[in-house]
């Protein structure tokens, strides 16, 4: 069976047994602030486990998952991967242990054909019920009782928990660690855990006692990769069709057989794992960066590139593996193909940047070794690993060549400290956020009814209120306040008394957690916000009036970019506020001013067409039929909201300018936007650009503010011009002041011209000064031209030293200029001196060390700074360092 057939067989088996099959949600959790990535199959079902949603009693899924807690073990075992697919069946207060255990055994033995004698069930040591159920099935191997560390699941210190029953597959003696204690639960690769059945039946109290839950749940998880290679009898997951296409392509590119050595096998495993994970993450809009998800992605890419280098490949290659990853998942996750082109482009750019960084890292290590003793500190080794992607083994190898050891214990401590960031992204799949805690202990299970599309003020009933420091968290049964989502900020406004005459609280923000809207409030009257109290909720209509045009304009901008640049453009992030809009999009390079102006005009043209903005809620299946634009990786639910912009609205959805899935607030006609203006275009990350703009009333506000700033700017430019004129005259220049009617642009051009003139005047003055006071003396067969110049700068010194170097033909040019109580200097060597062993950088560093300064550079040019003092002594010190 192929992996696709096994995936389908699992889902069909549980569908046949009354489960609703749910598609995988994105790797990026939706509405769950406690997780950086979806790390387990149960994560999308947390609202059901918490009792917040009740429209399902049992479900099954194959969920995309991502973890980095054991990234360093990837490839060294058969169990550890970063990206994997989790098969799971779930019961929300429906069936329990009996059915769960029986179905697991039936699927593995009947559907997958596992030999019963090679399957070993385990149970929690105190779970007599599970033990009896396994024995009732008559399994060849009696259940093994294990401790709480492996067979008891906890959400946290308190809350839902319960025993587990795991099923291990015996791969045979060849995979054993050889210890006499080797058995299910051992950390070696003989007994492989392939299925974990979690029986959530208790609520752990503050005192540690276990209180039975009124609704018992089932949460099971089985890694597809483990199941596939175990069922097929393959040596490892990397020998299945889930990895082979990537491994084969990588071997073709790198030219090294994976069986050449254990090191080569490990390298190909890491490359295959990390490239799969990187492509899946990037297809959902994650881009390499130095923060949060982007940092995790960057680390994956850099590790894979380094393993490519260990196989002797020094060129970008990961981007060439993208088609192979798409081939593996094309039918299961069709969105991958749409994103492939952009992923390839971004990956290649990231690889190229890293290879440049790596070269810098190698130089960094060499510099560290020049100053370190017999041992390289562990924190320095970790810095090389974390910043430049240097594996510890590479640092160890280079250090060994120099007779230097590495403080590996210190490296481990630094690594452990950094790994706390990774653990924060996965604190156990059931880790709850603070707002989830409120949901569980404070809020009802029903959802908040949002009525803010139609109304900005409405009566409501207080459901819950909690004071948190100087603020409060308020929940209503229904609300006109839009909760932050889709890039749009949350609404603000007031909570009034039932008759609307008294202000009870001011809403400063609105957030959504699951299905509940939570209003952050200040200036509250807690006694008037008790549960069941009737109130009036009033959105700040002026603020909403600024936000809505920005959101609709974002849709217009997205479509304009796609039409102008191509359909490879995908939204990579956005901000829609009252002040402005910000739109991040995928594109390999920046937009030139002409293109940017054309895009701006396209948006304004659509605004002036006065098209209808119409919304409709439709089944998710309609997305492909309508050809709606979606955000990569976004989970829109089963019935998303479609926002269409066109002359006839939904009367003719094919005659349109734009159609996107969106839950935000919009204008009803593009005429309401009135105007659109681009403020700035910039880079966010490799392959991701950003446009900031204003629309609607914010355009007039911006232009008014800019006019005020322009008046101030002209005055400031006038003052700078006067200062530059005085300086130019003092250097012997003859210039006139700009005319009175000069604009800001005129003055900026004038400033540039004056600065260039001053540079030329200074250079001429320096040349003149150098011609008068220059001294050239022979030192050990090398001509030394040394001169101290007043009023110079490092850039001028370098230019002048190049000129003097040409004049003397062969030798060293040493120029210095005082800046405060310090002396900045340059040391320039003619090319022939390198052959004689004269190194400008070494001489400069030695000079700086002798005079309490610092310096650096190359063999032919160096610069630095020392304390200003006796010039003659400084030159003598320099002369003593010149040796041929």
């Amino acid at each position: 069976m192929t992996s696709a057939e096994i995936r389908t067989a699992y889902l069909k088996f549980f569908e046949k047994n009354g489960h609703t099959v749910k598609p995988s949600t994105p790797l990026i959790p939706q509405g769950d602030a406690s997780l950086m990535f979806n790390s387990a199959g149960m994560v999308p079902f947390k609202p059901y486990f918490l009792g917040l949603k009740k429209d399902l009693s049992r479900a099954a899924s194959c969920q995309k998952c991502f973890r980095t807690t054991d990234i360093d073990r990837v490839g060294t075992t058969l169990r550890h991967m970063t990206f994997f697919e989790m098969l799971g069946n779930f019961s929300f207060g429906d069936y329990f242990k009996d059915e769960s255990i029986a179905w697991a055994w039936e699927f593995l033995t009947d559907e997958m054909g596992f030999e019963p004698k090679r399957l070993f069930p385990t149970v929690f040591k105190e779970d007599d019920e599970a033990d009896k159920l396994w024995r009732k099935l008559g399994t060849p191997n009696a259940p093994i009782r294990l401790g709480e560390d492996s067979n008891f699941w906890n959400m946290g210190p308190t809350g839902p928990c319960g025993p587990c029953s795991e099923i291990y597959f015996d791969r045979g003696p060849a995979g054993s660690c050889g210890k006499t204690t080797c058995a299910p639960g051992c950390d070696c690769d003989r007994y492989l855990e392939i299925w974990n059945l979690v029986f959530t039946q208790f609520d752990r109290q503050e005192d540690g006692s276990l209180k039975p839950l009124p609704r018992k749940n089932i949460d099971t998880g089985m890694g597809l990769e483990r199941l596939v290679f175990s069922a097929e009898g393959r040596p490892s997951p990397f020998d299945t069709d889930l990895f082979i296409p990537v491994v084969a392509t990588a071997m073709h590119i790198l030219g090294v057989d994976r069986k050449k050595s254990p090191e080569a096998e490990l390298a190909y495993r890491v490359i295959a794992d990390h490239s799969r994970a990187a492509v899946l993450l990037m297809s959902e809009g994650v881009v390499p960066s130095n923060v949060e998800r982007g940092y995790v992605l960057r680390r994956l890419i850099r590790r894979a590139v380094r393993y490519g280098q260990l196989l002797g490949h020094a060129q970008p290659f990961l981007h060439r593996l993208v088609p192979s990853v798409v081939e593996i998942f094309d039918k299961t996750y069709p969105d991958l193909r749409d994103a492939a082109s952009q992923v390839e482009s971004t990956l290649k750019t990231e690889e190229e940047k890293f290879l440049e960084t790596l070269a810098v890292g190698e130089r960094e290590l060499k510099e560290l070794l020049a100053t370190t003793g017999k041992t390289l500190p562990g924190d320095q080794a970790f810095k090389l690993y974390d910043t430049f992607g240097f594996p510890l083994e590479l640092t160890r190898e280079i250090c060994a060549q120099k007779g230097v050891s590495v403080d590996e214990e210190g490296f481990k401590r630094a690594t452990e400290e950094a790994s706390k960031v990774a653990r924060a992204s996965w604190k156990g799949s059931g880790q709850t956020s603070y707002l989830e805690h409120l949901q569980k202990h404070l809020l009802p299970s029903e959802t908040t009814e949002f009525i803010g599309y139609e109304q900005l003020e409405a009566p409501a009933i207080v459901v819950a209120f909690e004071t948190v420091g100087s603020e409060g968290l308020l929940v209503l049964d229904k609300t006109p306040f839009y909760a932050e989502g889709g890039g749009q900020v949350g609404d603000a406004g007031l909570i009034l008394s039932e008759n609307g005459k008294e202000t009870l609280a001011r809403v400063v923000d609105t957030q959504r957690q699951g299905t509940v809207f939570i209003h952050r409030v200040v200036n509250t009257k807690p006694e008037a916000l008790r549960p069941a109290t009737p109130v009036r909720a009033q959105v700040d209509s002026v603020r909403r009036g600024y936000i809505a045009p920005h959101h609709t304009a974002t849709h217009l901008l997205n479509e304009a970019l796609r039409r102008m640049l191509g359909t490879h453009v995908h939204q990579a992030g956005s901000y829609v506020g009252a002040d402005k809009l910000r739109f991040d999009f995928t594109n390999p390079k920046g937009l030139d001013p002409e293109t940017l102006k054309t895009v701006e005009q396209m948006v304004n043209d659509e605004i002036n067409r006065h098209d209808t903005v119409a919304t409709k809620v439709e089944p998710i299946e309609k997305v492909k039929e309508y050809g709606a634009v979606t955000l990569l990786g976004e989970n829109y639910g089963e019935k998303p909201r479609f926002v269409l912009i066109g002359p006839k609205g939904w009367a003719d959805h094919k005659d349109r300018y734009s159609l996107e899935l969106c839950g935000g607030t919009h204008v009803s006609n593009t005429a309401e936007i009135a105007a659109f203006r681009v403020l700035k275009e910039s880079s966010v990350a490799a392959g991701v650009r950003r446009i900031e703009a204003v629309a609607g009333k914010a355009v007039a506000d911006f232009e008014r503010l800019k006019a005020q700033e322009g008046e101030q700017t002209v005055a400031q430019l006038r003052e700078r011009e006067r200062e530059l004129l005085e300086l130019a005259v003092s250097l012997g220049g003859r210039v006139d002041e700009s005319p009175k009617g000069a604009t800001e642009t005129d003055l900026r051009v004038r400033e540039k011209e004056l600065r260039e003139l001053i540079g030329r005047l200074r250079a001429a003055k320096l040349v003149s000064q150098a011609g008068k006071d220059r001294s050239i003396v022979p030192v050990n067969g090398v001509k030394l031209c040394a001169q101290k110049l007043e009023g110079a700068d490092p850039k001028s010194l370098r230019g002048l030293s190049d000129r003097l170097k040409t004049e003397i033909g062969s030798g060293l040019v040493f120029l210095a200029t005082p800046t405060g109580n310090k002396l900045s200097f340059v040391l320039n060597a003619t090319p022939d001196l390198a052959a004689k062993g004269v190194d400008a950088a070494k001489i400069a560093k030695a000079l700086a060390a002798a005079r309490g300064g610092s310096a650096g550079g190359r063999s032919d040019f160096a610069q630095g700074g020392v304390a200003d003092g006796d010039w003659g002594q400084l030159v003598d010190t320099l002369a003593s360092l010149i040796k041929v």
Side-chain angles (χ1 to χ4, degrees):
M1 296 174 71
T2 65
S3 60
E5 291 171 335
I6 291 175
R7 187 191 291 112
T8 300
Y10 177 87
L11 296 175
K12 283 189 174 180
F13 176 83
F14 281 97
E15 185 177 40
K16 177 183 69 177
N17 285 289
H19 292 65
T20 300
V21 174
K22 290 288 188 178
S24 174
T25 61
L27 286 168
I28 312 305
Q30 308 298 310
D32 190 339
S34 67
L35 294 173
M36 193 179 290
F37 300 104
N38 265 330
S39 52
M42 64 82 68
V43 170
F45 298 103
K46 285 168 73 174
Y48 294 97
F49 284 115
L50 293 170
L52 301 173
K53 295 182 74 174
K54 298 180 179 178
D55 58 319
L56 274 180
S57 59
R58 54 177 73 174
S61 69
C62 180
Q63 174 63 43
K64 293 186 288 185
C65 298
F66 181 81
R67 298 178 189 172
T68 57
T69 44
D70 293 302
I71 190 172
D72 292 320
R73 299 190 71 185
V74 170
T76 64
T77 75
L78 303 179
R79 306 183 305 282
H80 294 95
M81 293 162 218
T82 53
F83 169 80
F84 59 96
E85 294 178 88
M86 181 80 81
L87 299 167
N89 56 286
F90 311 94
S91 168
F92 316 112
D94 187 1
Y95 64 84
F96 201 47
K97 295 180 184 179
D98 194 344
E99 296 91 334
S100 179
I101 289 173
W103 281 331
W105 186 254
E106 180 185 348
F107 178 77
L108 290 177
T109 56
D110 293 353
E111 299 290 328
M112 290 292 99
F114 279 96
E115 293 181 66
K117 65 180 181 181
R118 297 180 69 182
L119 297 175
F120 289 78
T122 68
V123 298
F124 177 52
K125 62 183 180 181
E126 298 174 12
D127 193 353
D128 296 333
E129 181 185 3
D131 186 283
K132 289 177 182 177
L133 289 170
W134 277 114
R135 293 179 186 277
K136 179 181 173 183
L137 286 175
T139 58
N141 300 302
I144 300 168
R145 296 191 178 226
L146 296 177
E148 187 169 347
D149 58 335
S150 63
N151 277 56
F152 198 93
W153 176 83
N154 294 284
M155 178 179 281
T158 60
C161 58
C164 308
S165 180
E166 298 178 328
I167 304 172
Y168 286 81
F169 172 64
D170 182 6
R171 298 181 58 251
S176 175
C177 59
K179 297 177 182 177
T180 55
T181 56
C182 186
C186 182
D187 200 39
C188 73
D189 284 334
R190 173 171 181 173
Y191 296 97
L192 191 73
E193 178 212 324
I194 55 174
W195 208 337
N196 186 14
L197 317 177
V198 179
F199 312 128
T200 312
Q201 64 185 97
F202 300 116
D203 185 2
R204 191 182 294 277
Q205 305 299 298
E206 294 285 351
D207 61 1
S209 61
L210 300 176
K211 180 181 178 182
L213 286 170
R215 277 167 41 95
K216 295 178 174 63
N217 300 320
I218 290 292
D219 163 21
T220 83
M222 175 164 54
L224 176 65
E225 291 80 1
R226 293 191 193 185
L227 176 61
V228 170
F229 98 83
S230 299
E232 293 183 355
R234 304 283 184 181
S236 77
F238 304 96
D239 295 286
T240 68
D241 62 0
L242 290 167
F243 287 90
I244 282 294
V246 181
V247 173
T249 304
M251 279 203 295
H252 175 73
I253 295 170
L254 303 180
V256 177
D257 193 288
R258 63 184 288 201
K259 302 302 180 184
K260 177 183 177 181
S261 65
E263 291 77 17
E265 175 67 21
L266 173 62
Y268 279 114
R269 289 183 176 189
V270 172
I271 288 168
D273 173 272
H274 288 12
S275 58
R276 287 193 345 150
V279 172
L280 268 294
L281 286 172
M282 293 172 76
S283 74
E284 295 192 6
V286 181
V287 294
S289 70
N290 289 326
V291 294
E292 298 180 340
R293 297 183 180 101
Y295 172 75
V296 175
L297 172 60
R298 174 162 283 169
R299 188 181 177 200
L300 279 177
I301 295 169
R302 292 186 168 189
R303 288 190 91 240
V305 171
R306 276 300 308 145
Y307 274 97
Q309 285 206 330
L310 292 175
L311 293 176
H313 194 80
Q315 299 299 319
F317 71 95
L318 286 182
H319 64 285
R320 296 168 64 185
L321 302 180
V322 173
S324 299
V325 178
V326 173
E327 175 190 335
I328 294 170
F329 297 110
D330 192 22
K331 293 182 180 179
T332 309
Y333 308 116
D335 285 351
L336 268 183
R337 187 165 294 281
D338 297 335
S341 174
Q342 179 60 34
V343 171
E344 283 188 57
S345 174
T346 304
L347 249 182
K348 184 178 181 182
T349 302
E350 179 67 15
E351 288 183 87
E352 290 170 342
K353 286 172 58 180
F354 175 51
L355 290 171
E356 293 173 5
T357 302
L358 207 55
V360 176
E362 289 176 350
R363 291 198 295 270
E364 178 83 7
L365 177 55
K366 287 179 181 177
E367 289 187 13
L368 285 172
L369 290 174
T371 57
T372 194
K374 291 292 183 181
T375 303
L376 182 72
D379 60 340
Q380 294 292 343
F382 178 74
K383 179 186 174 184
L384 289 168
Y385 169 75
D386 194 46
T387 306
F388 303 106
F390 259 63
L392 178 61
E393 55 269 22
L394 180 63
T395 301
R396 187 192 299 126
E397 179 183 325
I398 295 174
C399 286
Q401 293 171 357
K402 302 290 185 181
V404 176
S405 63
V406 179
D407 175 17
E408 297 195 25
E409 285 302 315
F411 178 87
K412 289 179 182 177
R413 287 193 297 272
T415 304
E416 178 62 28
E417 187 65 28
S419 70
K420 291 177 182 177
V421 176
R423 292 197 189 102
S425 73
W426 184 65
K427 300 177 181 178
S429 60
Q431 179 68 29
T432 57
S433 67
Y434 175 67
L435 291 177
E436 276 186 325
H437 172 81
L438 288 177
Q439 282 185 318
K440 181 185 170 191
H441 297 288
L442 186 67
L443 311 183
S445 59
E446 67 264 17
T447 62
T448 304
E449 181 186 356
F450 176 61
I451 55 175
Y453 294 134
E454 301 83 17
Q455 305 174 61
L456 294 183
E457 183 175 346
I461 302 296
V462 175
V463 172
F465 176 73
E466 180 89 351
T467 301
V468 183
S470 60
E471 295 185 352
L473 299 177
L474 174 69
V475 179
L476 306 173
D477 66 331
K478 58 184 176 182
T479 181
F481 286 83
Y482 178 83
E484 181 178 329
Q488 181 176 324
V489 298
D491 274 334
L494 300 173
I495 302 297
L496 307 173
S497 58
E498 185 178 15
N499 60 13
K501 294 182 178 180
E502 184 182 5
T503 299
L504 305 181
R506 182 165 62 87
V507 179
V508 294
D509 187 23
T510 310
Q511 295 288 324
R512 179 174 178 172
Q513 189 66 21
T515 58
V516 178
F517 284 50
I518 300 174
H519 308 76
R520 281 182 52 225
V521 294
V522 296
N523 302 333
T524 60
K525 295 184 177 180
E527 69 282 355
L529 293 172
R530 295 191 178 95
T533 302
V535 296
R536 287 195 71 79
Q538 184 184 81
V539 174
D540 183 337
S541 60
V542 174
R543 184 171 179 270
R544 176 80 80 84
Y546 273 77
I547 294 170
H550 278 146
H551 206 148
T552 307
T554 301
H555 285 217
L556 300 181
L557 174 60
N558 189 9
E559 183 60 27
L561 288 167
R562 288 169 64 83
R563 293 187 182 193
M564 186 71 188
L565 305 177
T567 55
H568 69 274
V569 168
H570 291 287
Q571 181 177 336
S574 68
Y575 163 82
V576 178
D579 55 337
K580 65 179 179 181
L581 69 89
R582 186 177 65 232
F583 186 73
D584 298 346
F585 60 99
T586 54
N587 199 55
K589 60 182 181 180
L591 278 61
D592 59 68
E594 184 178 345
T595 302
L596 201 58
K597 199 67 181 174
T598 302
V599 169
E600 181 183 79
Q601 189 57 51
M602 290 171 69
V603 175
N604 279 304
D605 288 345
E606 175 56 25
I607 290 170
N608 293 328
R609 272 192 281 270
H610 298 187
D611 276 352
T612 298
V613 180
T615 64
K616 184 164 65 169
V617 175
E618 292 271 32
I620 191 68
E621 292 76 23
K622 291 286 187 179
V623 171
K624 287 188 177 180
E625 179 186 331
Y626 291 157
V629 174
T630 59
L631 177 61
L632 292 172
E634 185 74 20
N635 179 21
Y636 292 99
E638 295 179 0
K639 286 192 173 183
R641 181 170 177 257
F642 291 74
V643 177
L644 182 146
I645 302 172
K648 301 174 184 176
W650 284 104
D652 184 0
H653 67 81
K654 293 182 180 179
D655 181 12
R656 66 179 188 244
Y657 180 80
S658 166
L659 177 60
E660 292 191 36
L661 268 57
C662 178
T665 61
H666 292 269
V667 298
S668 58
N669 190 289
T670 59
E672 296 172 41
I673 303 176
F676 172 82
R677 180 167 178 175
V678 172
L679 305 180
K680 182 182 179 183
E681 192 270 350
S682 59
S683 172
V684 177
V688 179
R689 308 298 300 178
R690 168 173 292 171
I691 287 179
E692 296 179 45
V694 286
K697 297 175 183 176
V699 174
D701 291 350
F702 172 77
E703 290 177 346
R704 185 166 51 251
L705 181 61
K706 188 175 181 184
Q708 294 171 354
E709 291 176 346
E711 293 173 4
Q712 296 173 357
T713 302
V714 168
Q716 291 168 350
L717 288 171
R718 279 286 186 188
E719 180 60 31
R720 278 214 297 271
E721 182 191 29
R722 280 190 283 271
E723 293 171 357
L724 292 172
L725 284 169
E726 291 177 6
L727 180 56
V729 170
S730 70
L731 291 169
R734 294 184 179 182
V735 284
D736 298 320
E737 191 173 351
S738 297
K740 290 185 178 180
T743 64
E744 178 184 340
T745 302
D746 295 334
L747 290 170
R748 290 193 183 280
V749 171
R750 177 65 164 168
E751 180 179 348
K752 184 180 178 182
E753 292 173 347
L754 284 171
R755 291 189 184 279
E756 289 175 350
L757 172 62
I758 289 168
R760 292 194 299 272
L761 292 170
R762 278 178 167 164
K765 185 176 181 180
L766 285 174
V767 170
S768 175
Q769 185 181 347
K772 295 175 182 177
D773 307 324
R774 182 173 62 195
S775 65
I776 302 175
V777 294
V779 179
N780 294 327
V782 176
K783 284 190 285 186
L784 172 63
C785 174
Q787 190 165 9
K788 185 176 183 181
L789 302 167
E790 300 292 335
D793 57 74
K795 187 176 180 181
S796 300
L797 289 181
R798 178 164 189 169
L800 182 58
S801 69
D802 285 337
R803 181 169 179 167
L804 293 176
K805 185 173 68 173
T806 302
E807 288 183 13
I808 65 174
S810 173
L812 283 169
V813 176
F814 179 67
L815 302 179
T817 185
T819 52
N821 59 353
K822 291 185 177 180
L823 204 63
S824 296
F825 70 83
V826 296
L827 185 63
N828 208 332
T830 54
D832 62 298
L833 292 186
K836 298 180 180 180
V838 177
D839 189 315
K842 287 183 179 179
I843 295 171
K845 286 180 180 179
L847 176 66
R851 297 295 293 263
S854 61
R858 307 183 305 270
S859 59
D860 62 337
F861 179 83
Q863 57 189 347
V866 294
D868 196 3
D870 188 292
W871 174 252
Q873 289 182 0
L874 180 65
V875 174
D876 289 343
T877 303
L878 173 63
S880 69
L881 298 170
I882 301 173
K883 298 173 184 177
V884 179

